[in-house]
Amino acid sequence: MKWEGNRESDNVEDRRGEDGGGGGGGFSFGGRSIGLGGIAVALVASYFLGINPLTVINMLSGGGGQVAPVQHSAPAHKPPPDDQMARFVSTVLADTEDTWGEIFKAGGATYVRPKLVLFSGSTPTACGTGQTATGPFYCPGDQKVYIDLSFYKLMQQRFNVTGNFAQAYVIAHEVGHHVQNLLGISGKVDKARRNMSEKQSNALSVRLELQADCFAGVWAYHANEARHIIEQGDIEGALNAASAIGDDALQRQARGEVVPDSFTHGTSAQRVNWFKRGITQGKVSACNTFEAKTL
């Protein structure tokens, strides 16, 4: 992936090395503390390139709880200029800003740029305490994407996924959730879930996730058209990443069996299919997973 020399975003906040204030606890949910020890592996697998981890935390806690908002009062810091990986994610974020800014402008709307927070260990968010173990996630409460860069090592070690474009896909997927938030899609899904069974809620989550995969593909299409960022092997690497983190593949790896009713992100084939649809067609309208008869 060609990225060096491109614009870097100013919307990156570096909290690495700070005391997240989370101690060894976990999420405070509806007044209850949920430890991460017994569920860390499941969360890492479930949220590889995933969504706000509070969806799963909600199910684990019995549902119905409200997340206790946590505000971050420390001054925001920029990453050091000699941090290569921080420069990379800043450049990818800038690319998503340029791409979605143009798409929204063409539709007569204004794109509100999200912040990207780099952290280590744990960090306070408007959605509760974010933890490294949950993987990258987007919090609609503060419109920020959170990522511990050590997650990229996990990509390579656990899933054998390498390459800058696959790493960019992580950020583009989370920004896809931000786009869903701006379009009001996430709010409608959250509202609909309140009166659904767990099975129905999971099925809706799958459609939300697959749309974020498709939006990541839309970003890649337009970024490549404008800035020629994709090199030979990049798309294959991203497709391998999508395949590696399908619910079926992760469940088979973690427990040796597949339980379709528990899927929250989609199968490997579905994730590959919707990312390909986005990167091939480059249209937001091509990503309407909610009206698709088959995924």
Side-chain angles (χ1 to χ4, degrees):
M1 174 181 173
K2 298 177 182 178
W3 65 273
E4 294 189 82
N6 292 342
R7 183 179 75 84
E8 296 179 32
S9 175
D10 292 326
N11 292 312
V12 178
E13 182 180 341
D14 193 353
R15 298 184 191 172
R16 293 172 296 177
E18 293 183 11
D19 180 5
F27 284 87
S28 173
F29 205 89
R32 291 166 290 177
S33 178
I34 303 172
L36 290 173
I39 61 173
V41 174
L43 284 174
V44 169
S46 179
Y47 288 95
F48 181 88
L49 300 183
I51 60 170
N52 181 349
L54 300 177
T55 302
V56 162
I57 296 297
N58 185 25
M59 290 188 291
L60 291 170
S61 67
Q66 296 297 317
V67 179
V70 181
Q71 299 300 324
H72 185 260
S73 56
H77 298 286
K78 298 296 182 182
D82 60 348
D83 188 327
Q84 184 79 348
M85 184 53 70
R87 289 186 55 240
F88 169 72
V89 297
S90 298
T91 302
V92 173
L93 182 65
D95 212 303
T96 64
E97 292 170 346
D98 295 341
T99 296
W100 286 109
E102 289 298 320
I103 292 175
F104 270 60
K105 182 178 179 181
T110 300
Y111 179 65
V112 179
R113 298 178 174 184
K115 294 278 188 179
L116 188 148
V117 178
L118 306 178
F119 74 100
S120 56
S122 65
T123 192
T125 83
C127 297
T129 301
Q131 300 275 355
T132 295
T134 62
F137 65 95
Y138 170 72
C139 175
D142 53 24
Q143 296 191 357
K144 294 182 178 181
V145 172
Y146 292 84
I147 184 171
D148 185 328
L149 295 179
S150 66
F151 186 72
Y152 286 138
K153 293 182 180 178
L154 178 66
M155 286 175 59
Q156 181 176 1
Q157 295 170 358
R158 181 165 183 173
F159 301 102
N160 196 30
V161 173
T162 59
N164 286 335
F165 191 64
Q167 294 171 339
Y169 173 30
V170 174
I171 298 170
H173 176 96
E174 298 306 334
V175 171
H177 285 304
H178 176 63
V179 172
Q180 290 173 321
N181 187 34
L182 295 180
L183 296 177
I185 298 171
S186 302
K188 291 180 180 178
V189 168
D190 289 341
K191 184 177 180 180
R193 274 185 172 141
R194 296 171 190 167
N195 299 314
M196 287 183 170
S197 67
E198 182 177 321
K199 178 180 177 180
Q200 291 172 323
S201 179
N202 288 344
L204 203 56
S205 175
V206 167
R207 291 181 183 270
L208 192 72
E209 288 301 314
L210 294 179
Q211 185 177 63
D213 281 331
C214 188
F215 283 170
V218 170
W219 157 75
Y221 172 91
H222 289 278
N224 192 53
E225 286 286 304
R227 291 171 285 283
H228 308 291
I229 65 170
I230 297 178
E231 298 180 292
Q232 186 174 359
D234 281 348
I235 294 178
E236 289 79 5
L239 295 178
N240 288 338
S243 178
I245 46 77
D247 281 321
D248 52 343
L250 292 175
Q251 287 187 1
R252 194 174 292 113
Q253 181 190 62
R255 57 193 186 190
E257 62 178 351
V258 174
V259 184
D261 287 349
S262 68
F263 289 175
T264 57
H265 288 65
T267 67
S268 296
Q270 288 169 340
R271 299 200 73 166
V272 167
N273 175 57
W274 283 96
F275 176 74
K276 287 175 66 175
R277 184 178 300 207
I279 199 171
T280 301
Q281 300 187 33
K283 298 178 180 178
V284 172
S285 60
C287 297
N288 192 347
T289 58
F290 297 95
E291 293 187 3
K293 293 182 179 179
T294 58
L295 296 175

